[in-house]
DNA sequence: CGCCAGATTGACT
DNA sequence: GTCAATCTGGCGG
């Protein structure tokens, strides 16, 4: 499998969110390699997205406008949520990883806060680039994709911006 | 500076 | 069903 290049993330967030489904996320921590399959994502945008933190000022918005392939770690409700920055520098756009299927480790990944905990992701990875401690590997086959409105968001967009692999039991949901 | 809200989760009544 | 924990930024005093 090939490692994902920067070009992959240099597209609109909804496209990238879709394409990320089925890809493997590889986290290197303490010399160990934790692998998980991405099964659920959401796309977030800039000021036109009322639920995005990029419609506010501050470090999070600045990070969302950084170049493609940057990791954004967002702390909320005692949980760290991971985003990958997409699109060109200057355009606020990101993809939230909402759920993964654990491949070579024990732990739960069926929720945005759970997967970061399982992979040991925290603020230390904020603003770093994908590639060293955290990698993404291209999927082998295109999975069957479902689409819906985003979860947990109070002010969602008029378009469904959540994508997930159909019939995968690790997709989040309470 | 204090208080509120929010892309959440889990424990307790 | 209800509530608290942690981080970031907006808003009021």
């Amino acid at each position: 499998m090939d490692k994902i290049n920067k070009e992959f993330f240099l597209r609109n967030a909804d496209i990238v969110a879709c394409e990320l489904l089925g890809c493997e996320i590889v986290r290197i921590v303490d010399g160990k390699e934790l692998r998980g399959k991405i099964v659920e994502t959401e796309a977030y945008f800039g000021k036109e997205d009322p639920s995005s933190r990029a419609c506010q000022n501050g470090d999070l918005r600045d990070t969302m406008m950084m170049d493609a392939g940057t990791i954004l770690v967002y702390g909320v409700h005692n949980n760290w949520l991971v985003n990958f920055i997409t699109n060109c520098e200057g355009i606020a756009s990101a993809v939230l990883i909402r759920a993964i299927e654990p491949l070579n480790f024990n732990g739960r990944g069926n929720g945005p806060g759970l997967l970061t905990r399982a992979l040991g992701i925290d603020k230390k990875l904020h603003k770093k680039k994908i590639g060293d401690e955290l990698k993404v590997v291209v999927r082998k086959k295109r999975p069957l994709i479902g689409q819906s409105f985003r979860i947990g968001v109070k002010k969602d967009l008029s378009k469904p911006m959540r994508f997930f692999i159909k019939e995968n039991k690790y997709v989040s949901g309470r």
Side-chain angles (χ1 to χ4, degrees):
Chain A
M1 285 203 281
D2 301 317
K3 207 179 88 176
I4 283 179
N5 52 350
K6 180 173 174 176
E7 225 169 67
F8 181 91
F9 292 101
L10 214 47
R11 294 175 286 178
N12 288 336
D14 50 338
I15 307 287
V16 178
C18 229
E19 296 279 315
L20 273 174
L21 293 173
C23 292
E24 271 187 40
I25 186 166
V26 182
R27 163 72 166 141
I28 315 287
V29 55
D30 285 337
K32 283 180 291 189
E33 193 180 83
L34 304 174
R35 307 170 75 87
K37 186 166 77 173
I38 299 173
V39 298
E40 184 181 352
T41 58
E42 278 176 7
Y44 282 82
F45 303 96
K47 60 178 192 301
E48 72 274 20
D49 186 348
S51 60
S52 169
R53 275 285 167 114
C55 67
Q56 300 175 156
N57 291 312
D59 177 63
L60 285 166
R61 182 170 77 169
D62 296 343
T63 309
M64 268 189 93
M65 300 204 292
M66 288 173 73
D67 52 327
T70 304
I71 300 166
L72 182 150
V73 181
Y74 173 49
V76 82
H77 298 297
N78 199 24
N79 284 285
W80 296 116
L81 316 186
V82 253
N83 294 252
F84 295 146
I85 305 306
T86 68
N87 224 320
C88 313
E89 194 170 350
I91 301 180
S93 169
V95 174
L96 164 72
I97 310 300
R98 278 197 63 87
I100 60 168
E101 172 185 339
L103 294 178
N104 75 333
F105 63 93
N106 295 318
R108 297 169 55 190
N110 56 323
L114 295 172
L115 95 242
T116 51
R117 212 174 303 177
L119 296 180
I121 293 174
D122 61 13
K123 200 68 197 290
K124 289 194 290 292
L125 282 175
H126 187 53
K127 286 186 180 176
K128 292 198 174 182
K129 303 283 182 248
I130 295 173
D132 190 15
E133 300 157 271
L134 191 65
K135 303 177 193 179
V136 180
V137 191
V138 182
R139 65 176 166 230
K140 307 155 196 158
K141 295 176 187 173
R142 187 182 192 85
L144 189 56
I145 293 173
Q147 194 173 355
S148 80
F149 287 98
R150 296 182 293 191
I151 290 184
V153 180
K154 293 220 171 154
K155 301 171 184 172
D156 204 355
L157 298 169
S158 53
K159 288 183 180 178
M161 277 301 160
R162 168 175 173 258
F163 308 90
F164 56 93
I165 297 182
K166 280 189 179 176
E167 294 172 32
N168 185 296
K169 65 172 183 175
Y170 293 96
V171 173
S172 77
R174 300 189 57 150

